[in-house]
Amino acid sequence: MLLAIVVGNSNITLGVFDGDRLRMRAKVSAEAERSADEYLVLLYDLLRVNGVDRERLTGCIMASVVPSLTGLVEEAVTRLTALRVIQVGPGTKTGFRIRIDDPTELGADLAADTAGAIAIYGAPLLIIDAGTVTTIAAVDESRTYLGGCILPGLYASAALLKSSTALLPAIALRPPGENVLGKNSADAMRYGLLCGSAMMVDGFLERYRALPGMAGAAAIATGGSAALLTASCRSEITVDPELTLRGLRRLYQLNTAKKL
């Protein structure tokens, strides 16, 4: 069985694959204040609660975008399982070409998203990862990663709007429906954040599809805010919450030549 780990700015997501079946998926908050011992206990408890025998784990791969947490989580995994953790980064075989100024700048999570999306959905593709920030990436028909954009994440934007103003209230984010005319401050903020972000996504998808080799590109969304964000989009977007983990499984296969 394969242990796949995504270390993000807000959360750490764990997945355990038994062959091609995702047997376990769990999420904990990403906190730099925790020690390797604490992460070891968290990992031990999550595996046990989900009925996964750590002795049956045969491999581990991690995509981290938080350097301060990478070593802590890797140490916890190694102490618990005695496995070598494969880190996604420069030198990792991805199965696709990367055509950006510095390919080493491609985030490990985006590399996993892209590998998974190409394997599952083919190309050309538009990949949306809606988490602490929202990223949109374009992959053309030749399976070349062309680049993309980074937008403020929904919850980060809501927190910034509240902290930067004296009179605006804290709000809960929920799909606004068809009516986007706010009749009070809370609804006006909610509609502005959700529909404004959705309009940006729709606009970028339209522009990226006009690029050479991108005609008819399918749009795939993942990340903690994917369902909430895409509910307000007018574009057709497939939400795949397991995309990053499945991409890590694909990268593990490419870099170890092992069958799972």
Side-chain angles (χ1 to χ4, degrees):
M1 290 193 291
L2 173 68
L3 174 62
I5 305 174
V6 183
V7 180
N9 290 291
S10 301
N11 297 294
I12 298 173
T13 304
L14 309 171
V16 173
F17 287 92
D18 189 353
D20 62 358
R21 180 173 68 94
L22 183 59
R23 175 171 171 176
M24 164 194 154
R25 182 170 178 260
K27 184 180 293 186
V28 297
S29 59
E31 297 180 15
E33 295 76 15
R34 285 181 176 144
S35 66
D37 290 333
E38 290 174 294
Y39 279 114
L40 187 154
V41 172
L42 279 172
L43 179 57
Y44 175 83
D45 287 342
L46 285 170
L47 293 175
R48 185 180 61 174
V49 166
N50 286 277
V52 176
D53 181 358
R54 61 187 170 124
E55 299 295 333
R56 292 192 59 204
L57 294 172
T58 57
C60 179
I61 186 167
M62 184 193 318
S64 175
V65 297
V66 188
S68 62
L69 291 178
T70 304
L72 293 174
V73 177
E74 181 176 10
E75 180 183 344
V77 172
T78 301
R79 288 170 56 190
L80 182 65
T81 67
L83 294 172
R84 180 178 73 88
V85 179
I86 296 176
Q87 297 280 356
V88 178
T92 301
K93 296 178 182 177
T94 61
F96 57 89
R97 289 180 290 275
I98 304 172
R99 202 175 76 195
I100 60 177
D101 291 344
D102 182 359
T104 65
E105 288 187 354
L106 182 63
D109 55 343
L110 300 184
D113 287 346
T114 305
I118 291 173
I120 298 169
Y121 302 101
L125 277 171
L126 293 160
I127 306 165
I128 304 158
D129 194 326
T132 306
V133 298
T134 297
T135 62
I136 308 174
V139 179
D140 71 11
E141 59 190 11
S142 69
R143 300 190 172 192
T144 298
Y145 185 99
L146 301 178
C149 65
I150 301 176
L151 309 173
L154 283 177
Y155 288 97
S157 296
L160 179 62
L161 193 59
K162 173 62 181 74
S163 66
S164 302
T165 56
L167 296 178
L168 293 180
I171 59 170
L173 293 177
R174 59 177 182 269
E178 292 299 321
N179 181 14
V180 294
L181 285 171
K183 301 296 186 179
N184 55 67
S185 295
D187 280 346
M189 291 170 65
R190 187 177 296 114
Y191 299 161
L193 287 166
L194 288 168
C195 295
S197 296
M199 290 174 189
M200 284 193 287
V201 170
D202 284 333
F204 275 109
L205 296 185
E206 180 181 357
R207 293 195 178 198
Y208 288 163
R209 285 193 176 108
L211 297 173
M214 292 297 299
I220 314 300
T222 194
S225 301
L228 181 61
L229 173 61
T230 58
S232 297
C233 292
R234 291 186 172 178
S235 305
E236 183 176 342
I237 302 172
T238 299
V239 177
D240 186 342
E242 300 174 356
L243 180 64
T244 313
L245 291 175
R246 294 198 176 279
L248 282 177
R249 179 180 181 273
R250 174 61 178 158
L251 292 177
Y252 183 83
Q253 292 176 312
L254 288 173
N255 287 272
T256 63
K258 291 182 179 179
K259 293 185 177 181
L260 301 173

